[in-house]
Amino acid sequence: MEKLEQGLLMQPWAWLQLAENSLLAKAYITKQGYALLVSDLQQVWHEQVDACVVSQRAKELNKRLTAPPAAFLCHLDDLLCPLLKDTACPSKATFVCDRVAEALILRVRSELSGLPFYWNFHCTLASPSLVSQHLIRPLMGMSLALQCQVRELATVLHMKDLEIQDYQESGAVLSRDRLKTEPFEENSFLEQFMVEKLPEACSVGDGRPFVMNLQNLYMAVTRQEIQGRPNHQGTGDPQPSSSASPQGTENQVLNQPEEPAPSLPVPEKEPPGTSGPMHRPQLSKVKKKKLRGLFS
């Protein structure tokens, strides 16, 4: 399940509008199971299941369908991909969000092999550590990265001002007055930004601005977070869930009956008194040479 947790962390957030519900969501699906994270900016819900749970739930909701868990996971990935990635191709499913006590149930209805297909994502409240891992720590890292970016840009502007000053001292004259700028003052700029731009810039709304403008930075920060872990094995970044879905020949392999592994031949015991490999004569010769050398 560690692969699911790491893969989910590196997925971008998507903005969903399901009836009157505005949600942020991210998902990661493999042949072994799936992980889903949903938030309405007030609470965060999470579900992570393996192939056994997928198989059992599929039997309960789709009694007319019989398929291996990998086939159901592949179909779920096909349904969620257009929804989460905002592609031009609409999802071939209907999604309904229901809240029961502290849980959130995302109901899916579509077709599979010409038959109705139903699925329910049962999401419970996420643990504080999970919220920290997917939201608090990445957002703190993004804030620090943006602050560093602002400092770098301020340094570049100071260098540009020095370059312009050098041109002016060398006698250069600006040909168009409308292009003239004042030397950059960082403190004045920050004060003006706080008064004039901050209210609009920090308007979170329903979370859509965060999804539309900052997901590249979010994924870069989470990737850096994973690579900086002490137990990181360096096995490479998890691929997007759509590429990890079982397709093609993998389904054929799953449908084939398992063959017993060929047993290794058991070496025959040597009869007593027979000479073994070359090691035994060599050892005996070396021993005799040592004896002659010691007592001669």
Side-chain angles (χ1 to χ4, degrees):
M1 302 298 279
E2 182 180 355
K3 182 180 179 181
L4 285 176
E5 296 172 0
Q6 181 173 314
L8 181 65
L9 179 60
M10 297 187 64
Q11 298 305 307
W13 287 95
W15 181 82
L16 309 179
Q17 185 67 48
L18 302 178
E20 70 279 2
N21 298 297
S22 296
L23 301 172
L24 299 183
K26 60 191 314 195
Y28 186 68
I29 302 178
T30 69
K31 294 181 293 184
Q32 286 74 38
Y34 68 77
L36 175 67
L37 201 62
V38 182
S39 175
D40 62 353
L41 302 185
Q42 299 295 326
Q43 294 176 306
V44 182
W45 297 272
H46 174 252
E47 184 185 34
Q48 181 170 312
V49 299
D50 57 17
C52 295
V53 177
V54 170
S55 179
Q56 181 64 30
R57 190 177 301 176
K59 292 178 181 179
E60 296 174 356
L61 298 174
N62 306 276
K63 300 185 182 301
R64 298 173 60 189
L65 288 172
T66 302
F72 291 119
L73 288 165
C74 179
H75 186 60
L76 289 174
D77 193 24
D78 292 340
L79 297 177
L80 287 177
C81 184
L83 183 70
L84 298 180
K85 296 188 177 180
D86 195 22
T87 59
C89 180
S91 177
K92 300 178 181 179
T94 57
F95 295 85
V96 178
C97 178
D98 294 330
R99 302 189 189 188
V100 181
E102 294 185 345
L104 182 141
I105 301 178
L106 184 60
R107 305 183 189 277
V108 184
R109 180 178 180 179
S110 69
E111 289 188 359
L112 179 60
S113 300
L115 295 174
F117 174 78
Y118 302 94
W119 189 262
N120 296 336
F121 292 96
H122 295 275
C123 301
T124 58
L125 287 176
S127 64
S129 62
L130 198 66
V131 175
S132 174
Q133 186 180 26
H134 286 268
L135 285 171
I136 297 177
R137 292 185 63 87
L139 290 175
M140 291 180 66
M142 293 168 65
S143 300
L144 294 173
L146 291 173
Q147 183 185 30
C148 181
Q149 188 180 64
V150 168
R151 290 177 179 174
E152 292 290 335
L153 290 174
T155 301
V156 172
L157 288 174
H158 284 305
M159 297 299 296
K160 291 293 184 182
D161 286 340
L162 293 176
E163 183 180 358
I164 293 173
Q165 182 180 355
D166 183 69
Y167 289 148
Q168 291 174 342
E169 292 175 352
S170 301
V173 179
L174 192 64
S175 61
R176 288 170 287 185
D177 292 339
R178 63 183 178 82
L179 297 179
K180 185 177 181 180
T181 58
E182 297 296 329
F184 177 72
E185 294 290 340
E186 184 175 358
N187 292 333
S188 299
F189 170 79
L190 292 176
E191 291 177 359
Q192 184 179 4
F193 178 84
M194 292 293 184
V195 175
E196 298 179 1
K197 302 293 184 179
L198 184 64
E200 179 183 357
C202 67
S203 178
V204 177
D206 55 9
R208 192 170 188 177
F210 167 70
V211 170
M212 299 298 294
N213 303 320
L214 292 171
Q215 289 312 289
N216 288 337
L217 180 58
Y218 176 87
M219 289 189 291
V221 170
T222 54
R223 186 182 300 112
Q224 183 64 35
E225 179 82 8
I226 291 176
Q227 293 176 350
R229 291 177 181 176
N231 59 347
H232 180 65
Q233 300 296 328
T235 56
D237 298 338
Q239 298 299 319
S241 59
S242 58
S243 63
S245 300
Q247 296 178 357
T249 56
E250 293 181 358
N251 287 337
Q252 298 176 4
V253 174
L254 289 171
N255 293 331
Q256 293 177 354
E258 296 183 359
E259 297 180 359
S263 58
L264 296 176
V266 181
E268 298 180 357
K269 296 183 179 180
E270 295 179 355
T274 58
S275 60
M278 295 298 294
H279 303 286
R280 187 178 298 175
Q282 289 179 356
L283 288 174
S284 61
K285 290 182 179 179
V286 173
K287 186 175 181 181
K288 289 181 180 180
K289 288 182 179 179
K290 287 183 179 179
L291 291 174
R292 288 197 298 269
L294 289 172
F295 295 100
S296 59

